[in-house]
């Protein structure tokens, strides 16, 4: 296991299995028999799905179970067919997805995959769930893509098994560069901590509790289409992702417009695969290879152009610190944490939660980007909707684009934040993004009108 996976193993009791249920709605029918057959082939081709957590004397490790009768027996628990779910009812669809988000997978017994399927004469749906300890978002999208290819009749690609330390993504090229890079990394971390200590970090209404209960989930569709949003982003010289992150930051800052110390602090996920040296000869690195940095934004009255430039600069600088190998101070300590053992790490996490000492942020924004690439090559099947989420300690919006529609599914801890507060926040995000798009496009000769997006479904815990 790498350091992140040790963390997931340790907080299993505190935060749950951290399963990632990806809801996929198809535009043409598939049979239960075909889905079961393709799923079994996917389990055979993907060792990660046959992996279990095995405790050692002090640390845990992964054990890949060999193909054979034992896998056949465990596979009996993988697929659950639920024909009673009304897929055309948004509330029923949300409730079905929420139930999958709370499914507990026995990590030490296997298999590390759960699939729920609802037949439909025209538009069936399935939920493909894998615990985060086995797969990050990029791995999940790959697995869903392979599943869809199999349903189209294409062969499933074998998934190579690799287990390199994440240290390779932060280590300097030369050994003698370590002191300088550690010093630079520490200097940034100290400066960031001092700055955060002076700020009033804006959050959703949050009440610290001694225990977590269940995770809230919403399916949220932004009313403004991505054609218009992307045109506005281009007019400002930034990406759609930066534009939306700026909208999230503005929404938080609008909560305290007259407070000069108010700040939106957004944690941004980073794909670490690009930072492993080519000389190491790694493959696609299916598993968990994700880092993060903070975007800290202030001043609710900052002009739009300045806001997006500030967000863009913060994102570029966060990514550049990885490229410059200036993240060593933080991650070297995390590399040592697995040696504390699963019990002690979990104990520390519980104590931190009850003392309210988890890092205070506004939200953790992650992005699946444009998921249109998952569409099968032959074209018989077509994905009409994909919603990928995961349990999270902090509010977690997942930015996802498909067929010109931007969705922001979101999860949060219901013990700490009321459902109504999340409803209100997402409505404000919609209004802010619409206002930003109008302002950015006002000076252009033509503001493209996107096709109308599907109506946003009501959020529910």
């Amino acid at each position: 296991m790498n350091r992140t996976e040790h963390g997931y193993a340790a907080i299993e009791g505190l935060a749950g299995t951290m399963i990632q249920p990806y809801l996929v709605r198809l535009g043409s029918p598939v049979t239960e028999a075909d889905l079961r057959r393709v799923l079994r082939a996917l389990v055979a081709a993907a060792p990660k799905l046959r992996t279990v957590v095995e405790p050692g004397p002090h640390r845990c490790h992964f054990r890949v179970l060999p193909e054979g009768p034992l896998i056949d027996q465990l596979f009996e628990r993988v697929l659950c067919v639920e024909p009673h779910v009304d897929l055309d009812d948004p509330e029923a669809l949300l409730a079905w997805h929420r139930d999958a988000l709370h499914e507990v997978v026995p990590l030490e017994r296997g298999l590390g995959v759960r699939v729920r399927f609802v037949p439909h004469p025209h538009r069936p749906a399935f939920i493909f769930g894998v615990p985060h300890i086995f797969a990050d978002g990029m791995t999940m999208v790959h697995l869903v893509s392979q599943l869809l290819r199999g349903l189209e009749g294409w062969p499933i690609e074998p998934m190579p098994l690799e287990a390199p330390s994440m240290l390779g993504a932060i280590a300097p090229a030369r050994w003698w560069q370590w002191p300088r890079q550690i010093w630079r990394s520490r200097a940034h971390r100290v400066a960031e901590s001092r700055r955060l200590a002076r700020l009033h970090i804006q959050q959703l209404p949050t009440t610290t509790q001694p225990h977590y209960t269940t995770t809230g989930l919403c399916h949220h569709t932004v009313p403004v289409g991505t054609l218009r949003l992307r045109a506005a982003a281009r007019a400002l010289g930034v990406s759609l992702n930066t534009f939306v992150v700026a909208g999230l930051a503005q929404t938080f800052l609008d909560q305290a417009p007259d407070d000069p110390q108010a700040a939106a602090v957004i944690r941004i996920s980073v794909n670490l695969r690009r930072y492993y040296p080519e000389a190491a000869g790694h493959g696609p690195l299916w598993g968990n290879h994700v880092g993060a940095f903070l975007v800290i934004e202030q001043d609710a009255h900052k002009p739009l152009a300045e806001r997006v430039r500030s967000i863009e600069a913060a994102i570029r600088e966060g990514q550049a610190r990885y490229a410059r190998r200036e993240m060593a101070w933080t991650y070297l300590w995390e590399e040592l944490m697995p040696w504390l053992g699963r019990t002690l790490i979990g104990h520390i996490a519980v104590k931190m939660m009850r003392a309210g000492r988890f890092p205070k942020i506004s939200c953790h924004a992650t992005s699946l980007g444009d998921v249109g690439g998952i569409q099968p090559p032959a074209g018989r099947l077509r994905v009409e909707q994909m919603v990928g989420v995961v349990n999270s300690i902090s509010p977690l919006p997942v930015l996802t684009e498909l067929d010109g529609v931007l969705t922001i599914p979101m999860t949060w801890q219901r013990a700490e934040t009321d459902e109504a507060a999340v409803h209100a926040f997402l409505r404000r995000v919609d209004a802010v993004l619409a206002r930003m798009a109008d302002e950015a496009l006002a000076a252009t000769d033509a503001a493209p009108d996107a096709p109308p997006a599907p109506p946003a479904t009501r959020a529910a815990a």
Side-chain angles (χ1 to χ4, degrees):
M1 292 184 188
N2 62 32
R3 62 172 183 266
T4 297
E5 292 156 350
H6 272 282
Y8 286 132
I11 66 170
E12 167 81 4
L14 176 68
T17 304
M18 301 288 286
I19 194 168
Q20 302 169 96
Y22 275 45
L23 167 63
V24 178
R25 187 82 189 265
L26 299 174
S28 55
V30 297
T31 67
E32 175 189 343
D34 283 343
L35 180 59
R36 189 179 301 276
R37 172 182 54 79
V38 174
L39 277 171
R40 184 63 183 87
L42 183 64
V43 167
K48 274 290 182 178
L49 301 184
R50 303 196 310 275
T51 300
V52 296
V53 175
E54 187 172 87
H58 185 61
R59 301 174 62 189
C60 291
H61 54 264
F62 288 140
R63 173 76 64 189
V64 179
L65 302 179
E67 265 292 336
L70 294 182
I71 298 298
D72 291 335
Q73 293 172 14
L74 291 171
F75 184 77
E76 294 172 2
R77 308 298 305 167
V78 166
L79 179 60
C80 178
V81 181
E82 300 175 302
H84 62 279
V85 177
D86 183 359
L87 296 177
D88 298 320
D89 178 355
E91 292 296 330
L93 185 69
L94 180 64
W96 182 52
H97 197 190
R98 183 177 59 240
D99 190 50
L101 180 64
H102 291 91
E103 185 160 3
V104 177
V105 179
L107 300 181
E108 297 182 16
R109 189 166 183 173
L111 294 172
V113 58
R114 292 293 184 269
V115 179
R116 299 182 177 205
F117 175 60
V118 176
H120 189 279
H122 307 293
R123 302 171 61 229
F126 64 82
I127 296 176
F128 181 86
V130 176
H132 210 319
I133 195 171
F134 300 132
D136 58 16
M138 184 173 178
T139 307
M140 286 293 297
V141 171
H142 172 76
L143 288 168
V144 172
S145 176
Q146 290 297 305
L147 177 56
L148 293 170
R149 284 174 58 92
L151 290 172
E152 278 273 50
W154 290 72
I156 293 177
E157 301 170 0
M159 175 181 278
L161 190 64
E162 303 175 272
S165 167
M166 295 172 74
L167 190 63
I170 64 166
R174 302 287 185 269
W175 67 267
W176 46 266
Q177 295 173 329
W178 273 106
R180 180 185 64 188
Q181 301 306 85
I182 290 176
W183 181 84
R184 289 179 176 176
S185 175
R186 183 181 183 278
H188 168 78
R189 185 59 181 266
V190 170
E192 183 179 74
S193 298
R194 288 175 177 170
R195 181 184 178 188
L196 291 171
R198 298 192 302 266
L199 299 177
H200 302 155
I201 300 173
Q202 299 302 301
Q203 296 181 297
L204 295 171
T206 301
T207 303
T208 302
Q209 300 288 356
H211 297 281
Y212 293 132
T213 54
T214 57
T215 298
L217 169 65
C218 68
H219 292 170
H220 184 75
T221 302
V222 176
V224 183
T226 57
L227 181 62
R228 185 174 180 83
L229 292 175
R230 183 170 281 107
R234 287 173 176 167
L236 294 165
V238 299
S239 68
L240 175 60
N241 188 69
T242 296
F243 188 84
V244 177
V245 172
L248 292 172
Q250 186 66 54
T251 306
F252 279 111
L253 290 170
D254 285 345
Q255 296 178 173
D258 301 320
D259 183 357
Q261 296 302 108
V265 179
I266 300 178
R267 185 177 173 92
I268 304 291
S269 296
V270 179
N271 179 8
L272 294 183
R273 291 168 178 83
R274 70 187 73 172
Y275 302 110
Y276 286 90
E278 291 185 11
H282 296 311
L285 291 172
W286 303 125
N288 282 283
H289 299 277
V290 179
F293 60 87
L294 297 181
V295 168
I296 305 172
E297 188 67 10
Q298 293 181 259
D299 187 1
H301 304 289
K302 188 179 292 185
L304 174 59
E306 186 179 344
R307 171 80 68 214
V308 296
R309 285 197 298 267
S310 176
I311 295 286
E312 176 82 356
I315 291 176
R316 288 185 180 275
E317 173 58 21
Q319 294 171 337
R321 287 201 304 275
Y322 282 94
R324 296 193 304 259
R325 306 309 216 204
E326 293 178 3
M327 300 297 288
W329 175 258
T330 299
Y331 286 143
L332 280 179
W333 286 111
E334 292 187 10
E335 287 288 338
L336 296 175
M337 284 186 61
W339 294 101
L340 298 176
R342 184 176 181 177
T343 302
L344 183 54
I345 295 173
H347 172 72
I348 293 172
V350 169
K351 289 294 185 182
M352 289 179 65
M353 182 196 71
R354 292 180 179 170
R357 295 185 60 191
F358 278 151
K360 187 176 181 181
I361 62 175
S362 302
C363 69
H364 181 171
T366 187
S367 175
L368 294 179
D370 186 348
V371 296
I374 67 170
Q375 301 290 5
R380 184 185 67 84
L381 285 179
R382 183 162 184 83
V383 176
E384 294 186 350
Q385 180 184 15
M386 188 170 90
V387 184
V389 293
V390 66
N391 189 1
S392 177
I393 291 174
S394 302
L396 180 69
V398 184
L399 314 181
T400 309
E401 179 185 0
L402 180 63
D403 294 339
V405 176
L406 176 66
T407 58
I408 309 180
M410 190 166 174
T411 57
W412 70 95
Q413 291 297 325
R414 292 181 65 214
E416 296 186 340
T417 300
D418 185 73
E419 175 187 339
V422 178
H423 290 207
F425 174 77
L426 290 171
R427 287 195 297 268
R428 294 198 302 272
V429 170
D430 289 343
V432 167
L433 289 175
R435 185 177 72 241
M436 289 170 57
D438 290 344
E439 182 178 343
L441 293 171
T444 63
D445 293 331
D449 291 323
T457 56
R458 186 173 66 83

